Amino acid sequence: MHRSKKIVITVLYIIIVAISMGAFFIFQPFSFVDNGKSKIACDNGSSFEIGPNFIYTFTDKIDSFNDAKARKICAYNIIRDYGNAYKTPQSSNYGFKPVYIKNSSWGDAWLILVATFLLGSIFIQGIKRVFFESTKDPLFTEFFKWNFFAVVFIFLGIILFLIVIRKPARHIHCQLQIAQKVVNFRNSAFQGGIIPIPEENAHINSSIKTLYETCIGSL
């Protein structure tokens, strides 16, 4: 193979390594509160699942908006008091009992990394056959041998990932994480076919920026 063709194929493999690492980064596992199963235990002995009663959290704690709803349901056994017909108890009258759910796993993330690399390699093979009229792939063969080529591909792929791919991968991962949390609440609250409530949508939308910044800061 001509030197220029080898360079093109080498660059493509480096890009595939970087993209594969990006896919791994995007699908890394994370845990979050399951609003459908988590509960509040009231001081009066009663308990309620939070999501079905329109109480939710996208972090580890219940915020002030949902704290007021939790206090009211424990005190008055009512939900959706958006007009504040009932006075919010001044002191907390419940305990939060979170149940966590895990999204994906490290095994899944590694599987996606390998699958992405293999699909990318097949794509490169297609390019070679179409443009370079080659059915052999010495570079592909060398990659799977732990030698100089493998070290170079991986090292340069890591550099490309850190410089170019990592930032958009972080963005996508956090967007997926936030969407998963919001869907989890909505599925628990609206499973009975209730029409989404404007007050809830407004609060969720106002929380997304903070959730995104927190997620980005943790990666």
Side-chain angles (χ1 to χ4, degrees):
M1 183 185 292
H2 191 273
R3 178 178 293 273
S4 62
K5 295 179 181 179
K6 282 189 175 182
I7 292 174
V8 171
I9 298 302
T10 300
V11 170
L12 288 176
Y13 272 120
I14 292 171
I15 293 173
I16 291 301
V17 170
I19 292 175
S20 299
M21 294 183 66
F24 176 83
F25 193 90
I26 289 171
F27 291 99
Q28 62 180 295
F30 61 91
S31 298
F32 61 96
V33 173
D34 186 348
N35 288 288
K37 296 180 179 179
S38 297
K39 296 181 178 182
I40 56 171
C42 303
D43 293 347
N44 60 15
S46 59
S47 65
F48 301 91
E49 293 180 336
I50 61 173
N53 289 293
F54 296 89
I55 302 167
Y56 53 92
T57 177
F58 301 134
T59 61
D60 295 325
K61 299 179 180 179
I62 295 178
D63 61 21
S64 58
F65 178 74
N66 287 282
D67 174 66
K69 292 186 287 184
R71 295 186 187 193
K72 287 181 181 180
I73 195 173
C74 284
Y76 312 115
N77 199 31
I78 56 99
I79 62 174
R80 299 169 59 186
D81 181 32
Y82 301 109
N84 291 317
Y86 292 82
K87 183 179 179 180
T88 303
Q90 292 185 351
S91 59
S92 179
N93 55 359
Y94 69 93
F96 181 41
K97 306 295 182 181
V99 174
Y100 291 89
I101 185 172
K102 190 173 184 179
N103 181 75
S104 185
S105 68
W106 287 113
D108 292 337
W110 279 107
L111 181 62
I112 290 172
L113 182 151
V114 172
T116 302
F117 177 78
L118 291 177
L119 289 174
S121 298
I122 293 172
F123 173 74
I124 293 174
Q125 290 295 297
I127 290 179
K128 289 182 64 178
R129 288 188 175 91
V130 172
F131 296 101
F132 300 152
E133 298 180 354
S134 173
T135 57
K136 296 181 179 180
D137 189 4
L139 288 177
F140 180 77
T141 302
E142 291 292 338
F143 187 90
F144 288 98
K145 297 178 182 178
W146 191 252
N147 54 22
F148 177 75
F149 282 109
V151 173
V152 170
F153 284 142
I154 294 174
F155 178 73
L156 295 180
I158 291 174
I159 292 177
L160 181 62
F161 165 75
L162 293 174
I163 295 176
V164 179
I165 305 295
R166 184 171 181 265
K167 184 175 181 179
R170 290 169 66 195
H171 172 76
I172 295 172
H173 172 79
C174 288
Q175 291 290 344
L176 290 174
Q177 186 177 134
I178 293 169
Q180 184 69 31
K181 293 177 179 180
V182 173
V183 168
N184 172 263
F185 159 64
R186 286 179 171 162
N187 285 343
S188 66
F190 304 133
Q191 58 185 344
I194 300 174
I195 299 175
I197 301 168
E199 290 85 352
E200 301 295 353
N201 288 337
H203 180 69
I204 291 172
N205 291 335
S206 69
S207 303
I208 288 178
K209 182 179 179 180
T210 300
L211 290 172
Y212 176 79
E213 292 174 348
T214 301
C215 177
I216 289 293
S218 67
L219 297 175

